[in-house]
Amino acid sequence: MRVTPDLVLTGFFWLPANEAVQLPGTVTVTDGGDIHLELLGTFEEGQRGSIPARNVPRIVGRVESHEYVTLEQCSAQGEWSLHLGGIS
């Protein structure tokens, strides 16, 4: 896939089985077709610390241009952290 420059879109994303839990995030498509989704939060309530790696069959989203996107065969992994931006 040829994408120049990288395509970066913000929006809200959810699992098809639970549309009520929508997370804000950013999807980035780089030249070569690599797709990276960064979410603010997790789909599982109460999840803290390390998020176990797992395969997610499908993630749906609505991005800033009010268009829907579907990400297939996702490999999810990451860490949960809280940054307060200098507030003590």
Side-chain angles (χ1 to χ4, degrees):
M1 174 183 284
R2 184 86 172 128
V3 178
T4 306
D6 292 352
L7 182 61
V8 179
L9 300 169
T10 59
F12 289 89
F13 301 87
W14 61 90
L15 299 177
N18 190 3
E19 190 174 342
V21 178
Q22 295 189 8
L23 302 174
T26 303
V27 64
T28 304
V29 181
T30 62
D31 190 22
D34 291 330
I35 300 172
H36 178 79
L37 175 62
E38 186 173 325
L39 296 173
L40 300 175
T42 64
F43 293 117
E44 294 85 14
E45 290 188 32
Q47 182 75 45
R48 296 284 189 259
S50 180
I51 299 169
R54 68 180 187 135
N55 291 326
V56 179
R58 180 175 294 145
I59 297 175
V60 182
R62 187 168 185 178
V63 295
E64 60 196 43
S65 57
H66 303 289
E67 295 180 27
Y68 288 95
V69 296
T70 303
L71 304 173
E72 298 277 346
Q73 300 177 357
C74 304
S75 174
Q77 61 185 19
E79 289 189 19
W80 173 261
S81 63
L82 176 64
H83 299 282
L84 297 176
I87 298 174
S88 56

